[in-house]
Amino acid sequence: MTYTVCFLPGDGIGPEVTAAARQVIEASGVDIEWVNLAAGATALEFCGNVLPERTVAAIEGHGVALKGPITTPIGRGHESVSVRLRKRLNLYAAVRPVRSLPGIKTRYDNVELVIIRENTEGLYSGIENEVVPNIVQSLKICTAEACTRIARFAFNYAVQRQRKKVTVFHKANIMKKSDGLFLRCAQKVYSQFAGTVEYEELIIDNGCMQLVSDPSRFDVLLLENFYGDIISDLAAGLVGGLGVVPGANIGDHCAVFEPVHGSAPDIARKGLANPLACIMSGVMMLNHLGEQQAAAKIRDAYGQVLAEGNPENLTRDIGGTAGTEQFTRAIIRAMK
Ligand code: NAD
Ligand code: IPM
Ligand code: MN
C-alpha cells in the first residue's frame, strides 16, 4: 500500500526536524509518496502568500499532512499560518501526548498525560479591535457546537484508550459565560459517558499548581484553545521540554501532524534541533494511517536510543552533545 502524505517543512528548525522525521518514517518500511507543500516564509517568498490555496487544497484532498512549525510575527502582521490552517481545515481537536521517557532525567518519572485542546475558537478567533485610541478589545468566541464536539472527542478518546479520567481546566468563576458554556457542554457529554470514565473540573490556576506538584494525578486534560496552548508547553517542561512532545490536529476529514514546539529561531539552521517531537508526530501519523507495526518499530527504536543514554546520540536539550542528524541516524540504526 502506498500512502500519499502532504509534507510542509515550515520555518526555522521546521525543515531540519521534518526531514529527520521523513527519513525515520521511510526507514520503517512504509511506502509514502510525499507531496511537498509551502507554507510560511518560503511560501511568502515563492508564492507571495503565507498560506497558498494550493497547500490547503492538497491537504483537503489527501487528508493527511506532516508539518513543521511556522514563524508568526509578534504584535503585528498576519494571523498565524498554523492557526489559520487549523481553522480552514476544521481540525478541531489537538491531541498532545506528554509522557515521561526513559533516560531523560526530570523531576518526575511518572507523567502520562494527554492534552485534548479545542483548536478552532476561543481567544484564537483573532477578532480584535481598537474601540477608541488606546482601548482595544479581544473577543473570546465560544460556541456550544465546538465545545460539545471537543468534549465528545475527549471522552471518546479516553474510553477507547482505556484512560481513567478526564479533567477540565477552566476559569468559569471569572469568565462565567464563555468558560461556563465550555463546562456545561463537557458536563452534558459526560452524562452520556458516566460510569465508563471519571470526570473532574478544576479552576485553572489551582490546576496548574496541582499539575506541577503531582502530574501523575492527571490523565486526559480537556482544555479550551488558549489554556490548551499554555498547558501544552508547561506539561512539556515536566518531561524534558519541547523537543519531546508531539501533536496531532484532527478533524472529521483530515489530520495534520506537527510537534508542539515552534520554529525555534535561536537554534535554526545550526543542526542542533531535537527531531524527536517531530518523529513522534510521525509515529502518531502512522498509527492514524493504520500502520501500527511501523509506528511501534520507530517507538521501540527511539525508546532504545533514549534508554541507552549515550550523549553522542542525543541532542543538547536532553543532555547530549549530538546534532539533529546524529540523533536521527542513531534512531534509524536502532530500527535495523
Ligand atoms: P519555540 O517552541 O520555537 O522555542 C522555545 C524554546 O524551546 C527555544 O529556546 C527553542 O530553542 C527550544 N526548542 C523548541 N523546539 C526545540 C527542539 N525541537 N529542539 C531543541 N530545542 C527546541 O517557541 P517560541 O520561541 O516562543 O516561538 C518561536 C516561533 O515559533 C514564533 O514565531 C511562534 O509563533 C512560532 N510557533 C509556531 C508553532 C507552529 O507553527 N506549530 C508552534 C509554536 C510556536
Ligand atoms: C502551538 C503554537 C501555536 C498556538 C501558534 C504559535 C501558532 O504555539 O501549536 O501550540 O498558539 O496554537
Ligand atoms: Mn503553543
Side-chain angles (χ1 to χ4, degrees), residues 148-221:
T148 304
R149 181 174 66 176
I150 194 65
R152 199 173 291 130
F153 184 96
F155 284 108
N156 272 325
Y157 182 99
V159 169
Q160 277 161 18
R161 304 197 180 222
Q162 280 118 40
R163 293 277 183 163
K164 288 202 175 60
K165 184 168 68 174
V166 175
T167 304
V168 178
F169 284 4
H170 66 87
K171 196 76 190 180
N173 49 337
I174 302 299
M175 279 159 279
K176 296 173 195 292
K177 285 210 190 306
S178 52
D179 283 16
L181 179 63
F182 193 84
L183 274 186
R184 275 201 310 285
C185 293
Q187 289 159 3
K188 206 161 163 191
V189 174
Y190 171 61
S191 67
Q192 296 150 18
F193 284 83
T196 56
V197 63
E198 288 169 48
Y199 175 65
E200 171 187 42
E201 294 170 354
L202 286 178
I203 299 178
I204 190 162
D205 39 358
N206 171 31
C208 286
M209 183 277 291
Q210 306 236 13
L211 191 54
V212 297
S213 306
D214 179 13
S216 70
R217 85 183 245 354
F218 294 103
D219 192 347
V220 175
L221 296 179

Side-chain angles (χ1 to χ4, degrees), residues 6-26:
C6 298
F7 185 77
L8 291 76
D11 300 328
I13 60 169
E16 299 163 60
V17 296
T18 51
R22 186 162 155 171
Q23 281 170 42
V24 171
I25 292 168
E26 280 171 357

Side-chain angles (χ1 to χ4, degrees), residues 30 55 70 87 90 100 111 122 132 144 146-147 151 167 182 192 199 231 233 246 255 306 314 321 323:
V30 179
T55 297
I70 294 170
K87 289 189 208 162
N90 215 359
S100 301
V111 182
V132 292
C147 296
T167 304
F182 193 84
Q192 296 150 18
Y199 175 65
I231 298 297
D233 284 34
L306 292 176
L314 305 173
T321 55

